[in-house]
Amino acid sequence: MMKQKRRHVTLEHVATHAGVSRSTASLALRGSSHISEATRERVQASMRELGYIYDRVAANLRSKDSSTVGLIIMELANPFYSELLVGIHHELDKFGKTVILGTTFDSPAIQERLLSTMLENRVGGIILSAVPGSSSEPINRFRDLGIPLVLINRKLQGAECDFVGVDNVEGGRIAIEHLIRKGHRRIAFLGGLPQLSTWRGRKQGYDEAHRMAGLEIDPTLVIESRATRQGGIEAIQKLLALPSPPTAAFCYNDTIAIAVCMHLQSVGLVPGRDLAIVGFDDIPEATIFSPKLTTVSSYIRLLGEHAARLLHARIDGADAPPQSVIVQPELIVRDSCSDPAKKSE
């Protein structure tokens, strides 16, 4: 026996079933305050009973403004992006926006495909953490189409759009100055890749703090890796293999810093005592791990909130040259940085 084809349920069917007009059903669907709660509940009950599925793409095509916003980030496994997502959602919920999420895993091909998908779904705007080294051409295409796009965390050369990020130079500088005040003179910079604008900013701060203190930089102490836990393990393994290891390490992010601490413990060393550690971002795990991580806070959720507000203003018609919102970082001192002299205690 052939399976009967399921009937496509329209808003007209829902309205008839609920005993209201189509316009009333539409208002109920959009959460309008112009109808009573009892009518809204009756319409929603009919939608559930009939199996009505809202065609948001079609609605966006009919409407001048889309209620959806695209968010494209590297991955959710990195706690930085999880916190960023919370900040963005928290702010966009105020404006009744729905977020369509895509993850690139730092692949230019995936980023290009996701941007095309966002266009096909008629999003009202996009927040993008750009893949390093990617072209600005697809970004500027959105501008030409009148679709607002905000870059977050990572800058992209040649992209003519709004940007929200942290002052990475200042963040790197205050991290190294803290270690120098503690008495450290050989300080490593672990993890991250030069293709990342965030890495270049933090490295500039690292260099400036050394120069201001009259300290030479040993290039063997700058070890690149992917900004992942595995990358952190690989970086600390290379560092410990050096003939003259440093007494402290500034890590590109907290994920790397925590991986470094875990590896030190696995080889019988004590993080904070045998190697002072400073991270970057202040993810929630920084206060859970032992020792609690000294880190530079980039106020991740605030970055997300700034990006969401800026994008909403653009969607709402704000007409001004591209803006850059730069959040000032703060050093959060915890337990992972002892003085070099205390190693022998």
Side-chain angles (χ1 to χ4, degrees):
M1 182 176 178
M2 290 184 62
K3 186 177 180 180
Q4 186 176 6
K5 187 176 180 180
R6 183 178 177 180
R7 183 184 68 161
H8 175 63
V9 179
T10 68
L11 193 58
E12 292 281 4
H13 296 136
V14 172
T16 301
H17 188 273
V20 299
S21 66
R22 188 188 183 285
S23 60
T24 297
S26 178
L27 288 171
L29 182 63
R30 288 178 289 166
S32 172
S33 60
H34 296 297
I35 61 173
S36 68
E37 187 62 30
T39 300
R40 181 181 294 106
E41 290 177 358
R42 190 162 75 250
V43 171
Q44 290 174 345
S46 292
M47 289 168 59
R48 289 192 296 270
E49 188 173 336
L50 296 177
Y52 175 76
I53 299 174
Y54 181 42
D55 190 343
R56 189 173 296 277
V57 173
N60 288 343
L61 285 170
R62 292 190 297 269
S63 172
K64 181 181 177 182
D65 299 316
S66 171
S67 62
T68 57
V69 167
L71 172 62
I72 301 177
I73 57 177
M74 177 190 169
E75 62 174 353
L76 279 175
N78 185 330
F80 173 88
Y81 290 106
S82 301
E83 288 294 292
L84 198 65
L85 180 61
V86 170
I88 290 169
H89 262 298
H90 178 265
E91 197 64 23
L92 287 178
D93 280 349
K94 298 177 184 178
F95 308 121
K97 300 295 185 184
T98 300
V99 176
I100 299 176
L101 176 66
T103 51
T104 64
F105 301 100
D106 273 352
S107 164
I110 294 176
Q111 176 175 283
E112 178 68 20
R113 187 164 67 247
L114 286 170
L115 286 170
S116 296
T117 299
M118 299 298 180
L119 275 176
E120 292 166 4
N121 281 274
R122 303 298 198 276
V123 295
I126 289 181
I127 297 173
L128 170 67
S129 179
V131 170
S134 56
S135 169
S136 62
E137 188 276 328
I139 312 304
N140 293 332
R141 187 168 72 236
F142 277 81
R143 178 204 61 203
D144 297 337
L145 291 170
I147 301 173
L149 187 146
V150 176
L151 287 175
I152 190 165
N153 192 46
R154 298 173 175 179
K155 289 185 177 179
L156 191 58
Q157 189 172 7
E160 299 178 16
C161 60
D162 297 314
F163 171 75
V164 175
V166 67
D167 188 337
N168 289 291
V169 178
E170 175 69 5
R173 186 183 63 79
I174 61 178
I176 303 307
E177 286 180 347
H178 173 70
L179 290 168
I180 291 172
R181 284 195 300 270
K182 301 285 284 184
H184 298 279
R185 296 296 178 266
R186 283 179 56 76
I187 304 168
F189 181 27
L190 297 183
L193 298 169
Q195 298 95 310
L196 298 167
S197 62
T198 44
W199 185 93
R200 295 193 297 272
R202 293 167 200 181
K203 175 61 162 58
Q204 182 180 335
Y206 171 90
D207 292 347
E208 288 182 2
H210 277 80
R211 187 164 54 250
M212 291 170 65
L215 298 175
E216 290 188 9
I217 296 174
D218 182 349
T220 65
L221 299 184
V222 179
I223 299 176
E224 302 165 11
S225 76
R226 285 183 57 80
T228 61
R229 180 166 293 186
Q230 182 58 38
I233 293 172
E234 292 168 2
I236 186 60
Q237 288 175 335
K238 292 177 182 178
L239 191 74
L240 294 178
L242 293 175
S244 179
T247 60
F250 168 49
C251 298
Y252 169 77
N253 64 14
D254 288 347
T255 297
I256 288 173
I258 290 172
V260 166
C261 290
M262 292 174 66
H263 182 76
L264 289 172
Q265 291 171 339
S266 73
V267 297
L269 297 175
V270 179
R273 187 194 71 184
D274 295 311
L275 184 70
I277 306 292
V278 177
F280 202 109
D281 286 332
D282 197 24
I283 61 176
E285 288 82 352
T287 61
I288 299 171
F289 189 81
S290 181
K292 293 180 179 179
L293 189 64
T294 293
T295 186
V296 176
S297 175
S298 58
Y299 295 102
I300 308 170
R301 292 192 184 187
L302 182 61
L303 291 175
E305 291 171 3
H306 277 309
R309 281 196 294 270
L310 187 52
L311 185 66
H312 174 70
R314 293 296 189 188
I315 292 173
D316 218 29
D319 186 16
Q323 298 181 31
S324 287
V325 177
I326 307 300
V327 172
Q328 290 304 303
E330 180 184 359
L331 182 71
I332 308 298
V333 179
R334 298 192 180 104
D335 306 328
S336 63
C337 288
S338 64
D339 301 342
K342 293 183 178 180
K343 289 179 63 176
S344 59
E345 291 181 2

